[in-house]
Amino acid sequence: MEEEINFKELEVFLPYFIDGIEEILNAWCQKKSTAYLMQERGLDNDEMINIIGIRVLSYTFDIIEQTENLKYCPYAEQLVEYFDAHDVLINEVFLMYMDLSSVVREYLFKHIPSAERHYAAVQNFSLIFEHNLSDVLDIYFNLQLEKIQKEQKNVLQEKKLLEQYKSIVDLTNGVVVCDKDGFISYVNEKFC
């Protein structure tokens, strides 16, 4: 993917990104779907800007400056921990990332007169952003999968304990189960 991106062309936009980071992040938090998700999940505006926005954009800027390579996003695990702590769903993470990406593109076209002529550069920015997103989604998916597997294991353990408890009760007590009309629907060996 890295060879497809023209970093030199993106560097021209870097001062605009850096100067506009506060405006970009505030516009992101006010974007309809992100604002709704923040409210629903109890996400704090300052935390969203500092924990997510600043880190994601700063890492993106480092990639553009080529002080970082387009590789595994170093903040992905922290972002996943933050989202997971607030019960944010994986599709909601995707929506918020896409909102941030669209706000950046809107900012570029609004504030940079030549942005329209450099549409490919804007697309390259989106490629970097989507690469970072894929790291976050991959970690988040694996975390959710681990939780489901752990929950299934716990359910199986509980089922086994209940079966053991039933066996003990059946050995020591006579058990009769009736429906609401008094018809017997189950009796154990001890009752017989």
Side-chain angles (χ1 to χ4, degrees):
M1 174 184 278
E2 202 166 336
E3 58 274 359
E4 298 172 16
I5 298 173
N6 183 341
F7 291 101
K8 289 292 180 201
E9 192 173 49
L10 279 174
E11 283 181 18
V12 172
F13 296 121
L14 205 49
Y16 294 100
F17 285 134
I18 293 168
D19 290 345
I21 195 166
E22 189 176 319
E23 182 181 336
I24 290 167
L25 294 175
N26 283 319
W28 172 51
C29 289
Q30 293 170 11
K31 197 103 165 135
K32 189 175 181 177
S33 55
T34 295
Y36 173 78
L37 290 171
M38 287 172 60
Q39 182 180 7
E40 286 294 306
R41 300 293 181 210
L43 303 172
D44 179 71
N45 192 69
D46 291 336
E47 288 177 341
M48 286 288 285
I49 288 173
N50 294 319
I51 292 175
I52 300 163
I54 298 279
R55 290 180 182 169
V56 168
L57 289 180
S58 295
Y59 178 63
T60 304
F61 300 160
D62 291 345
I63 291 170
I64 292 169
E65 291 177 319
Q66 296 181 323
T67 57
E68 284 283 350
N69 294 322
L70 187 59
K71 57 179 179 5
Y72 177 76
C73 178
Y75 302 114
E77 289 180 15
Q78 294 171 340
L79 299 178
V80 167
E81 286 174 17
Y82 177 74
F83 287 135
D84 187 53
H86 289 86
D87 297 321
V88 177
L89 304 174
I90 195 165
N91 61 316
E92 295 170 338
V93 172
F94 178 80
L95 285 173
M96 286 189 281
Y97 248 90
M98 290 298 99
D99 275 355
L100 182 55
S101 181
S102 74
V103 166
V104 170
R105 285 192 307 274
E106 290 167 11
Y107 177 84
L108 287 174
F109 287 125
K110 180 179 174 185
H111 290 86
I112 303 172
S114 63
E116 287 182 20
R117 286 182 282 144
H118 297 282
Y119 185 75
V122 176
Q123 292 304 100
N124 285 334
F125 173 81
S126 294
L127 287 174
I128 295 170
F129 223 68
E130 289 164 13
H131 185 273
N132 294 342
L133 171 63
S134 70
D135 290 341
V136 171
L137 293 178
D138 186 47
I139 293 169
Y140 208 70
F141 176 78
N142 288 327
L143 175 69
Q144 297 305 313
L145 186 60
E146 285 175 24
K147 283 183 172 183
I148 290 168
Q149 289 170 339
K150 185 177 179 180
E151 191 174 308
Q152 286 176 334
K153 185 178 179 182
N154 289 341
V155 167
L156 290 173
Q157 287 174 339
E158 287 179 20
K159 180 182 177 193
K160 186 177 179 179
L161 285 172
L162 285 172
E163 288 171 351
Q164 290 172 349
Y165 176 74
K166 182 184 177 296
S167 295
I168 291 168
V169 169
D170 282 346
L171 288 173
T172 58
N173 298 305
V175 177
V176 177
V177 177
C178 298
D179 65 13
K180 65 179 181 168
D181 297 323
F183 291 106
I184 297 173
S185 60
Y186 171 82
V187 295
N188 68 352
E189 279 297 314
K190 185 76 173 173
F191 179 81
C192 294

